[in-house]
Amino acid sequence: MYNVGVVLRVCGRSPDLKSVLIMVKNLRSGGGTETYVLTLAQTLKKQGYRVGIYTSGGTWLGFFRKKGMRIHIAPSYKNSQKLLEKMLKLYQVVHANDQFSVSLLATLRPLPSQVVVTMHGKYFKPAAIRKSSAIAKAIIAVSPPIYNYAVRCGAKTAKLHLIPNGIAIETFRPQGTKSLRKKYKFPAGAIVIGYVGRFTSEKLPLGQRISRILRSFKAGRPNTRVMIAGRLSKKYVKKTGGYIVAGLISNMSDFYRSCDVVVGTGRVALEAIACGKPVLAVGCSGFVGRVTVKNFNYAWRRNFGDHQNRRVKWTDRQLINDLNKIMQLKKNGKTQTHQVRNLMIRQFSSRSMTKKIARLYQKKQFNSGINNILCYV
Ligand SMILES: CC(=O)N[C@H]1[C@@H](OP(=O)(O)OP(=O)(O)OC[C@H]2O[C@@H](n3ccc(=O)[nH]c3=O)[C@H](O)[C@@H]2O)O[C@H](CO)[C@@H](O)[C@@H]1O
Ligand SMILES: O=P([O-])([O-])O[C@@H]1[C@@H](O)[C@H](O)[C@@H](O)[C@H](O)[C@@H]1O
């Protein structure tokens, strides 16, 4: 019997790289980096990959374990070279998701050869981007502004790939329960507006501002209810009758389905669209407004308000006007929402994201940077 690896090598190809160690220093609850990692890991597993997660732990460790993830804990992350070297013998590819992981990988000797890095936001410092460019065979930017930012920081374009976030559309779908309406005893015909985002770091002022606007929007509208969700929302926002502060939610699809409109950005916007809801996109970098078929591409090129080359100011009035418009849309609005969902599903499913990423895992040669960007926009 021939050994498959030997046969492939004789043919000039390397064996399939079907095991991946995904690195993320912190597993914090309700964060986009964490849900990206979880979605990627689950989809890879479905496609036959062996997946491990290398982390120092965090408040979402139990949640990840419950989802069946194999976790390798390095309590002292920064100094965990010995453990990481051991782990790297068990996996063929390593996929880093933050700058701490890149820095740790860069201290190994010899350097691992099969490194892929995803940049989720501008919090990747320029030095970490240059390090990624030196050690990785591929760097993924999750949106065009992050791609441009990486280029400006000195990443080699031949290694850069624009691959948008992917959403598990089998979980985030219109069909299913709307149990939060029952839990919070909303009347049958209530109009429910939901805001979702972590109340930490750069997203704290955004969350506080939107919560304030929604509170005043609700006043004088007895049939309207507001639900605020996200890590630490309970610390920063006060609940009052009909204005619910739900805190951290672990079953987000149920939350979206319980809403009539969702305000959010980044993955939140994509997930709510997948659940068939009209979305008002506003994020750390600016305001997009209602996501429509017409502005869908514009919205995605800004990661639904989270990423932009320059931060753009917006007014409370813009958000209120768009909310009013969404409330007034009836049948026509439903058709639009359905069409937006179709666009989303075509481009942002976890299957299609993982397919593109798996191609990078298998990749040996680099294309020119121009090809990389044209493939995905
Ligand atoms: C400022 C910035 O650059 N942020 C980026 C960061 O995510 P960031 O952490 O800012 O968050 P996102 O809004 O993209 O996603 C939040 C995630 O947390 C989940 N959630 C939220 C609240 C809650 O109570 N429970 C819960 O599970 C949501 O379902 C969602 O999947 O990485 C994401 C993935 O590449 C990008 O899309 C974001 O643009
Ligand atoms: O700032 P914080 O909320 O402690 O942690 C956050 C993570 O939960 C999030 O997933 C990531 O995308 C952010 O950049 C940040 O690291």
Side-chain angles (χ1 to χ4, degrees):
M1 260 253 295
Y2 292 111
N3 169 315
V4 178
V6 172
V7 172
L8 290 171
R9 248 172 274 134
V10 169
C11 300
R13 282 173 53 205
S14 50
D16 272 4
L17 302 173
K18 290 281 265 191
S19 61
V20 185
L21 184 64
I22 303 182
M23 295 178 74
V24 54
K25 180 173 180 262
N26 299 308
L27 287 182
R28 295 193 177 122
S29 321
T33 301
E34 289 82 350
T35 52
Y36 173 99
V37 163
L38 184 61
T39 309
L40 173 65
Q42 287 177 320
T43 318
L44 283 169
K45 277 176 75 176
K46 274 190 203 151
Q47 294 178 3
Y49 276 78
R50 191 162 53 79
V51 181
I53 293 176
Y54 191 84
T55 179
S56 70
T59 49
W60 243 6
L61 186 58
F63 180 72
F64 267 60
R65 282 204 168 118
K66 261 196 218 142
K67 297 277 177 191
M69 293 296 120
R70 182 187 288 123
I71 310 268
H72 306 294
I73 302 241
S76 162
Y77 204 73
K78 210 172 135 194
N79 304 312
S80 65
Q81 285 83 355
K82 282 222 165 89
L83 178 62
L84 181 58
E85 271 164 356
K86 249 196 222 165
M87 289 303 139
L88 289 179
K89 289 196 179 115
L90 306 177
Y91 296 89
Q92 293 154 311
V93 179
V94 56
H95 187 157
N97 283 275
D98 53 37
Q99 47 184 351
F100 308 106
S101 304
V102 171
S103 294
L104 173 59
L105 284 166
T107 62
L108 301 184
R109 291 294 175 275
L111 284 168
S113 60
Q114 299 293 338
V115 178
V116 172
V117 175
T118 294
M119 286 176 57
H120 295 274
K122 282 197 182 165
Y123 36 76
F124 244 83
K125 298 278 173 324
I129 293 170
R130 285 190 288 275
K131 243 183 230 170
S132 306
S133 192
I135 67 168
K137 64 173 176 173
I139 303 172
I140 298 164
V142 298
S143 71
I146 298 304
Y147 185 102
N148 296 337
Y149 170 69
V151 174
R152 284 201 305 278
C153 292
K156 292 184 190 127
T157 51
K159 292 190 178 186
L160 263 177
H161 299 262
L162 177 61
I163 304 183
N165 265 277
I167 305 299
I169 52 174
E170 57 286 358
T171 305
F172 292 96
R173 60 196 178 110
Q175 300 78 17
T177 69
K178 299 177 173 184
S179 67
L180 273 78
R181 290 183 95 99
K182 207 168 164 195
K183 176 177 175 184
Y184 295 119
K185 300 190 174 75
F186 294 155
I191 306 287
V192 181
I193 306 170
Y195 171 70
V196 184
R198 56 191 160 84
F199 282 69
T200 64
S201 320
E202 70 280 54
K203 290 229 160 138
L204 174 59
L206 176 75
Q208 286 178 305
R209 181 174 176 195
I210 293 173
S211 305
R212 175 179 53 72
I213 301 173
L214 293 183
R215 193 185 295 282
S216 69
F217 186 85
K218 194 219 161 307
R221 287 184 173 81
N223 200 30
T224 299
R225 298 290 181 273
V226 171
M227 291 200 291
I228 308 286
R231 176 172 19 119
L232 294 189
S233 54
K234 284 191 173 171
K235 178 172 173 190
Y236 292 102
V237 188
K238 255 207 195 124
K239 64 166 187 186
T240 45
Y243 185 96
I244 308 292
V245 184
L248 178 78
I249 300 278
S250 51
N251 179 2
M252 280 308 305
S253 54
D254 199 350
F255 181 96
Y256 299 129
R257 279 194 295 266
S258 301
C259 296
D260 293 293
V261 187
V262 176
V263 181
T265 185
R267 291 183 66 86
V268 168
L270 287 168
E271 291 163 354
I273 291 171
C275 287
K277 296 299 166 180
V279 166
L280 204 163
V282 50
C284 281
S285 289
F287 184 87
V288 171
R290 180 175 189 220
V291 182
T292 61
V293 171
K294 223 168 151 192
N295 73 7
F296 188 82
N297 210 27
Y298 170 92
W300 127 247
R301 278 190 269 112
R302 283 151 185 79
N303 200 20
F304 302 88
D306 235 8
H307 299 153
Q308 206 147 303
N309 294 336
R310 262 183 312 116
R311 187 174 288 214
V312 178
K313 285 195 173 160
W314 53 278
T315 62
D316 295 3
R317 186 44 46 203
Q318 277 177 285
L319 198 145
I320 291 167
N321 285 349
D322 268 30
L323 266 181
N324 273 323
K325 272 190 215 151
I326 295 176
M327 305 292 201
Q328 280 153 21
L329 291 166
K330 294 234 159 75
K331 208 167 161 210
N332 184 22
K334 275 204 174 140
T335 314
Q336 268 268 352
T337 306
H338 185 71
Q339 288 167 343
V340 172
R341 179 169 182 269
N342 287 344
L343 281 178
M344 180 272 155
I345 285 173
R346 233 176 284 147
Q347 299 172 53
F348 300 91
S349 74
S350 52
R351 249 184 88 209
S352 99
M353 171 186 80
T354 307
K355 216 162 130 194
K356 289 166 192 162
I357 294 177
R359 249 185 256 148
L360 296 184
Y361 292 163
Q362 306 298 332
K363 200 175 169 71
K364 275 209 131 182
Q365 298 294 321
F366 307 126
N367 285 337
S368 82
I370 288 175
N371 283 342
N372 297 344
I373 193 162
L374 287 181
C375 291
Y376 300 117
V377 182

